[in-house]
Amino acid sequence: MDLGVRWKLHGDGRTPAPGAVVRPDERLSWPRTFGLGAQHVVAMFGASFVAPVLMGLDPNLAIMMSGVATVIFLLATRGRVPSYLGCSLSFVGVAAVIRAQGGTSATVTGACFVVGVVLFLVGLAVQRFGARIIHAAMPPIVTGAVVMLIGFNLAPVTASTYWPQDEWTALLTMLVTGAAVVCLRGFWSRIAIFLGLVFGYVISWTFDRIFGRIHSVDASGKVTDHWRLNLSGVENADWIGLPSFHGPSFQWSAVLVALPVVIALVAENAGHVKAVGEMTGDPLDDKLGTAISADGAASMLSTAVGGPPNTTYSENIGVMAATRVYSTAAYWAAAGFALLFGVCPKFGAVVAAIPGGVLGGITVILYGMIGLLGAQIWLNAGVDLRNPLNLVPAAAGIIIGIGGVTLKFTDNFSLNGIALGTVVVITGYHALRAMAPAHLKQEPLLDSGTSAYDDPGDQPASS
């Protein structure tokens, strides 16, 4: 059985030939391959390590399980889909809502585990029936609206939790991070979030030296005099040790909040597979279902031991595009580095010590970017918001999701925020489409932008 763990040396092993790319089944010399692996870890560092901190989970376990998840993904796709799997930012809002309802870390990981199960089953369905089932149930207007409400639902977290801890550090971090995203080029633009974190660390330390302690709310929400940057945890942490594990706990209310993220993850995976296929010149349509299932399986394993769920990372697509190296050997190297970081508690303590003000500046951009990805889905698919069939369910669902509107069914069961907004978008769109006059339904249900995964004559794909 070919598991995609054998690679041919590309050219002289130094750089890709002019106009050529290093294909997934090729590699450069091993020193260069390991260097590229480290580059991939750094590229996803900013977002992927901020996410578990924002979710209240162990960053050491997060990086360790991201390495394990990457290995699972590479084996499942048999080395045809180069990708690194990191903690998905789509779950940050879910974790915030669950914790606001009194949930624990076990409740968060339990809800995310169920999402992994559903994602795995969706992948199996895509393998059996093709991608059309996804696009029929979740056309771009639905997918974009759900991604948008997930991102913008996080706005109060930044405004009330992180930004007030140190307003000026948050503002400066936001400005520097934004400038890095826009002004830098190539690899440096891909690690803009990481550069913003480094700047935030330095400016927090500098302000502590110049101005002393700050009088503001701390991470617990209490107004106190405290240091902006507290490195006591780093000093006390060991260099070598296992991260902390815990089992999941399942609550229906938490699961219902988390399930809408499946839509975002399916969209992320579909976009990733399509982009990599276009860049490598190797059509990967037959691997879409496998990729989604592998993502779900990896998330199930991670959340089962207390880690965050994982998904493919667009930052790494940027690194591949910049270097023209699509070798899966580099991703195996990246997974190895991640496992090493995972058994270094001191590294996790550095991540956990990120000042609240720094997170405030970073999350302003990150959360906004998540929300606007929904708008990008609409633009790419040519969604017409002048059509009331598209406009009405999206508008209603987004306001419900962002505003935290609640619909109470019984004393023990209610839907609100993300969950209720998603239900309104999906059911509202399909119900209205069934009743709408013909001239409003001229836009086909299967959009041409994504249904190209399987042509009418195609047979159901298998892994």
Side-chain angles (χ1 to χ4, degrees):
M1 179 183 295
D2 182 13
L3 296 178
V5 293
R6 295 182 179 180
W7 303 275
K8 299 175 291 185
L9 187 67
H10 177 87
D12 60 4
R14 295 182 179 180
T15 57
V21 298
V22 180
R23 299 177 59 80
D25 61 348
E26 298 178 329
R27 65 169 176 85
L28 298 178
S29 65
W30 284 116
R32 287 175 172 77
T33 297
F34 285 121
L36 287 166
Q39 193 174 27
H40 280 298
V41 173
V42 174
M44 48 72 65
F45 179 93
S48 193
F49 286 100
V50 168
V53 172
L54 298 177
M55 294 175 68
L57 301 177
D58 184 351
N60 268 96
L61 183 56
I63 182 61
M64 173 183 285
M65 295 313 297
S66 74
V68 174
T70 300
V71 169
I72 292 174
F73 188 91
L74 293 174
L75 290 175
T77 58
R78 299 181 182 180
R80 285 188 59 197
V81 187
S83 182
Y84 190 99
L85 269 65
C87 180
S88 175
L89 284 165
S90 299
F91 286 93
V92 173
V94 166
V97 172
I98 293 174
R99 290 188 182 277
Q101 295 175 346
T104 63
S105 293
T107 311
V108 171
T109 53
C112 295
F113 179 88
V114 176
V115 171
V117 173
V118 174
L119 190 64
F120 177 77
L121 295 176
V122 170
L124 294 182
V126 172
Q127 291 180 54
R128 177 64 181 85
F129 301 107
R132 288 178 176 272
I133 61 170
I134 295 177
H135 308 308
M138 299 180 297
I141 182 61
V142 170
T143 306
V146 172
V147 172
M148 185 175 291
L149 68 87
I150 288 174
F152 291 156
N153 180 266
L154 295 166
V157 177
T158 294
S160 61
T161 302
Y162 299 118
W163 191 280
Q165 293 184 42
D166 189 350
E167 299 173 353
W168 289 105
T169 295
L171 177 63
L172 291 173
T173 302
M174 179 193 73
L175 294 174
V176 169
T177 303
V181 172
V182 174
C183 300
L184 297 181
R185 295 290 183 270
F187 172 71
W188 294 105
S189 68
R190 302 296 172 185
I191 62 170
I193 301 298
F194 173 68
L195 297 177
L197 289 173
V198 172
F199 171 81
Y201 254 88
V202 173
I203 200 67
S204 296
W205 181 86
T206 303
F207 281 178
D208 279 342
R209 304 283 81 77
I210 297 175
F211 303 112
R213 299 188 180 192
I214 186 173
H215 182 76
S216 68
V217 295
D218 59 13
S220 65
K222 297 179 181 179
V223 178
T224 62
D225 291 322
H226 60 275
W227 297 109
R228 296 168 181 81
L229 179 61
N230 184 355
L231 296 177
S232 59
V234 179
E235 297 173 0
N236 298 327
D238 296 326
W239 280 101
I240 303 295
L242 290 174
S244 57
F245 299 92
H246 70 259
S249 174
F250 302 98
Q251 295 181 9
W252 273 112
S253 59
V255 170
L256 289 174
V257 170
L259 279 178
V261 179
V262 171
I263 296 175
L265 297 181
V266 170
E268 288 178 356
N269 274 278
H272 183 94
V273 170
K274 192 171 185 178
V276 172
E278 290 175 351
M279 289 189 294
T280 60
D282 178 20
L284 298 173
D285 305 348
D286 61 318
K287 286 298 180 182
L288 176 59
T290 304
I292 294 174
S293 289
D295 193 332
S299 292
M300 289 163 58
L301 178 60
S302 178
T303 52
V305 297
N310 295 284
T311 190
T312 52
Y313 255 64
S314 60
E315 286 86 345
N316 299 106
I317 292 182
V319 173
M320 289 189 291
T323 60
R324 293 183 292 133
V325 178
Y326 302 94
S327 171
T328 54
Y331 283 102
W332 278 93
F337 284 120
L339 292 172
L340 291 176
F341 280 128
V343 294
C344 179
K346 195 171 288 289
F347 169 79
V350 171
V351 176
I354 299 173
V358 176
L359 291 175
I362 294 291
T363 54
V364 163
I365 295 177
L366 278 181
Y367 294 169
M369 289 171 64
I370 295 171
L372 290 176
L373 283 176
Q376 183 178 347
I377 291 173
W378 289 344
L379 291 172
N380 291 343
V383 173
D384 183 6
L385 291 179
R386 296 170 298 178
N387 186 339
L389 176 57
N390 293 329
L391 182 62
V392 171
I398 289 171
I399 290 300
I400 287 173
I402 295 174
V405 175
T406 298
L407 185 62
K408 185 175 182 180
F409 293 89
T410 68
D411 291 338
N412 300 319
F413 178 73
S414 63
L415 287 176
N416 57 30
I418 295 173
L420 181 58
T422 300
V423 169
V424 168
V425 173
I426 296 177
T427 60
Y429 176 80
H430 289 287
L432 290 173
R433 185 178 179 85
M435 298 183 292
H439 73 277
L440 294 181
K441 295 189 288 187
Q442 293 176 357
E443 180 181 318
L445 186 60
L446 296 176
D447 64 287
S448 60
T450 50
S451 60
Y453 278 115
D454 40 15
D455 294 325
D458 288 349
Q459 297 296 318
S462 58
S463 60

